[in-house]
Amino acid sequence: MKRTLAAFGAVAALTLSALTTSVTTASAAMPVCTQGVGYVDAAGYATGVPVSDSSSNFCSLRSGNTGNGVRELQKTLNGCYFDGVTYLDEDGQFGPATTKALKRAQTMAGVTADGVYGPNTRDALKWYWSQNWQPRCLRLTQAPGPIR
């Protein structure tokens, strides 16, 4: 009985270790969103989305990152998730205020509020779209149809 429990414990420990390593490796392998790319829908509304240097939107952002990818995220956080108190400087610096605003947006969007931007957050967020100073907030999958 003791050998069976010991063997089970060893297998469980190895499984947990492998799972933790694969999650960490996958997260570390994802490129950083260093740029922003603009999208225009059929109704003429435009938004900007963070992308990597290879123009993939399968990328991540976290505290300490800088650049146009962060700036595009900050625009959406201000435009669609402003809490009425803290307006973010759209400076491309992912600091404590951006982390706090992203966690708030993640909670509102129904994803894990970890303060890290990645594909799950990208798909869940409503993005700030505008046309001639007329704004709207839509998920990327909700475009290109107009909001009336």
Side-chain angles (χ1 to χ4, degrees), residues 33-135:
C33 306
T34 54
Q35 305 295 320
V37 65
Y39 291 111
V40 179
D41 70 11
Y45 284 81
T47 192
V49 178
V51 296
S52 68
D53 284 337
S54 63
S55 298
S56 170
N57 65 9
F58 191 78
C59 55
S60 67
L61 289 169
R62 63 186 68 230
S63 184
N65 290 141
T66 61
N68 287 330
V70 176
R71 187 172 288 109
E72 295 300 345
L73 177 61
Q74 289 169 330
K75 288 176 186 177
T76 280
L77 294 173
N78 279 335
C80 298
Y81 297 97
F82 177 59
D83 64 4
V85 178
T86 308
Y87 190 81
L88 294 172
D89 287 333
E90 294 171 7
D91 59 3
Q93 306 290 319
F94 199 128
T98 301
T99 300
K100 181 179 177 182
L102 180 57
K103 284 181 179 181
R104 181 175 186 279
Q106 287 172 321
T107 297
M108 293 173 71
V111 295
T112 302
D114 58 5
V116 177
Y117 172 87
N120 290 337
T121 297
R122 177 201 63 220
D123 293 344
L125 287 181
K126 291 185 176 180
W127 290 87
Y128 182 76
W129 297 77
S130 65
Q131 177 190 46
N132 298 326
W133 298 97
Q134 297 297 315

Side-chain angles (χ1 to χ4, degrees), residues 13-50:
L14 287 173
T15 303
L16 182 59
S17 174
L19 181 61
T20 304
T21 302
S22 67
V23 169
T24 302
T25 304
S27 177
M30 189 175 306
V32 174
C33 306
T34 54
Q35 305 295 320
V37 65
Y39 291 111
V40 179
D41 70 11
Y45 284 81
T47 192
V49 178

